[in-house]
């Protein structure tokens, strides 16, 4: 794990890259620190993005140790290339070492901030409505490249991020190893301390990916499944994954998922006028998902250049919400924010941003 996580910084120890256990081992080996001093150092480094040696209370009195601690550590250095703000929503782009760029979005909520992170450069899933799909698949992000987005939001842009959603570029369950390692570091109480219940993994919904997540130590995250169609015919047209995991098999897979609590499953649904928003669609959707305790998140389709449909107006989203509520569903509309911002969580590279 240590080698995989530590992308850069072969000389210094990067607490963000290592996670707590490996960090402690490194501090014991390099500096002879005990576990209390290592834990205090780790928490300070990760939470404040810097180390103030004079504020460490568990560091042994040893000549030159303060300087040695500083010399032993390196911090991430994500290269922010753009930071744009509209309606309080902040989109930022980070340039990776190989020159590719990833986008992330900070979303102000009622009383906290949510960070929308990317898990891949591009995506191989080819959903008809998605901007990222148009890039094709370029490559997976490493755990550190995912964590760099949180580091940048917290320590470079100074947002006290409380929640994380994997709704940026890419399909997180297609990059499961890196995503689960990054979530392990994000949720560690001794570091960032963002509990799994405040982390949402949004997925295209392949049975294989969902099963992998369910069997993993991070299965208690919230799971948002992009449904987007109430019948196999419509869903297969919008999302090629449906040919391999059709709705029935998706529902069966989700029925077996070891949800840690009620309310942890969300059905994401892009309302596309005249395509998937009829009263029959609402009835079929609630019927097909009826075996599951699911909440619905609706968003209007956001069209960019070359999009296959026009943008959906808010009225149409509200109309579909009412149809679902009439069928007994629990529904939220993901409010559109930052309309003028050229990118957003859920359709990075486009015109608008949604809150989660
Ligand atoms: C970009 S995906 C990334 C996470 C994952 N790959 C997935 O499909 O759930 C995040 C969410 O954005 C939604 N989305 C993609 N393109 C959109 C668009 N043009 N308008 C509105 N929502 C969109 C997807 O349906 C999904 O729920
Ligand atoms: S919606 Fe998600 S899975 Fe589909 S192409 Fe976009 S990023 Fe990939």
């Amino acid at each position: 794990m240590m080698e995989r996580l530590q992308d850069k910084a072969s000389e210094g120890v990067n607490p963000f890259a290592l996670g707590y256990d490996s960090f402690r081992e490194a501090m014991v080996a390099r500096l002879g620190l005990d576990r209390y001093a290592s834990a205090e150092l780790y928490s300070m480094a990760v939470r404040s993005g810097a180390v103030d040696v004079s504020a460490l209370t568990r560091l042994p009195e040893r000549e030159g140790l303060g300087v040695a601690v500083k010399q032993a550590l390196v911090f991430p250095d994500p290269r922010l290339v753009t930071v744009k703000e509209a309606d309080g929503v902040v989109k930022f782009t980070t340039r990776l070492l190989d020159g590719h760029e990833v986008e992330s979005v900070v979303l102000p909520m009622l009383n906290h901030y949510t960070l929308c992170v990317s898990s891949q450069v591009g995506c191989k899933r080819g959903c008809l409505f998605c901007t990222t799909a148009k890039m094709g698949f370029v490559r997976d992000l490493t755990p550190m490249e995912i964590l760099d987005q949180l580091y940048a939001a917290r320590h470079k842009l100074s947002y006290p991020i409380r929640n994380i959603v994997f709704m940026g570029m890419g399909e997180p369950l297609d990059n499961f190893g890196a995503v689960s390692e990054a979530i392990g570091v994000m949720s560690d109480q001794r570091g960032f301390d963002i509990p799994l219940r405040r982390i949402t993994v949004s997925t295209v919904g392949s049975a294989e990916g969902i099963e992998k997540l369910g069997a993993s130590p991070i299965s208690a995250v919230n799971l948002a499944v992009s449904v987007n169609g109430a019948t196999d015919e419509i869903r297969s047209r919008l999302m090629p994954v449906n040919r391999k995991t059709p709705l029935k098999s998706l529902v069966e897979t989700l029925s077996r998922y070891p949800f840690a609590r009620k309310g942890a499953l969300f059905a994401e649904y892009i309302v596309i006028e005249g395509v998937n928003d009829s009263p029959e669609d609402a009835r079929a959707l609630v019927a097909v998902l009826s075996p599951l305790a699911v909440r619905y998140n609706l968003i209007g389709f956001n069209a960019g250049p070359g999009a296959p449909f026009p943008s959906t107006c808010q009225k149409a989203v509200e109309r579909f919400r009412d149809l679902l509520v009439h069928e007994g569903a629990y529904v939220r509309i993901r409010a559109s924010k930052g309309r003028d911002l050229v990118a957003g969580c859920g359709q990075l590279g486009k015109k608008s941003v949604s809150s989660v």
Side-chain angles (χ1 to χ4, degrees), residues 149-319:
Q149 298 170 64
L150 176 55
Y151 182 90
R154 273 243 175 131
H155 299 315
K156 286 200 135 182
L157 301 173
S158 302
Y159 288 99
I161 302 297
R162 202 190 77 161
N163 291 22
I164 306 275
V165 293
F166 281 79
M167 288 193 182
M169 296 159 71
E171 166 52 35
L173 300 186
D174 283 349
N175 185 16
F176 186 70
V179 166
S180 63
E181 283 187 25
I183 290 179
V185 175
M186 289 169 174
S187 59
D188 192 322
Q189 282 189 319
R190 295 155 295 197
F192 282 120
D193 194 18
I194 299 176
L196 294 176
R197 67 174 186 283
R198 295 209 187 125
I199 299 177
T200 299
V201 171
S202 179
T203 178
V204 71
S206 86
E208 199 190 347
I210 293 169
E211 274 160 9
K212 225 186 287 174
L213 181 65
S216 77
I218 57 155
S219 63
V221 292
N222 299 305
L223 188 57
V225 179
S226 299
V227 179
N228 298 331
T231 63
D232 283 328
E233 193 198 337
I234 297 174
R235 193 162 186 265
S236 294
R237 192 180 141 207
L238 299 174
M239 305 176 72
V241 68
N242 196 67
R243 290 176 210 138
K244 194 155 177 227
T245 305
L247 282 163
K248 189 163 176 279
S249 145
L250 176 63
V251 170
E252 279 166 9
T253 307
L254 290 169
S255 307
R256 291 192 297 270
Y257 192 92
F259 286 108
R261 65 202 166 274
K262 229 176 149 201
L265 174 63
F266 298 88
E268 304 289 310
Y269 198 91
I270 308 172
V271 180
I272 310 173
E273 272 181 286
V275 173
N276 65 359
D277 67 340
S278 69
E280 294 73 44
D281 288 312
R283 265 196 298 278
L285 183 63
V286 173
V288 77
L289 299 186
S290 63
L292 306 168
V294 67
R295 296 170 187 220
Y296 294 81
N297 274 336
L298 302 185
I299 183 166
F301 175 68
N302 285 303
F309 316 105
S311 284
T312 307
C313 67
Q314 191 64 8
K315 276 254 166 300
V317 181
E318 287 168 9
R319 210 162 41 230

Side-chain angles (χ1 to χ4, degrees), residues 80-102:
L80 283 176
V81 283
T82 55
V83 181
K84 292 180 184 162
E85 195 268 341
D87 289 356
V89 173
V90 175
K91 177 211 137 187
F92 61 91
T93 311
T94 319
R95 184 166 299 135
L96 308 175
L97 288 176
D98 61 6
H100 292 303
E101 291 183 1
V102 285

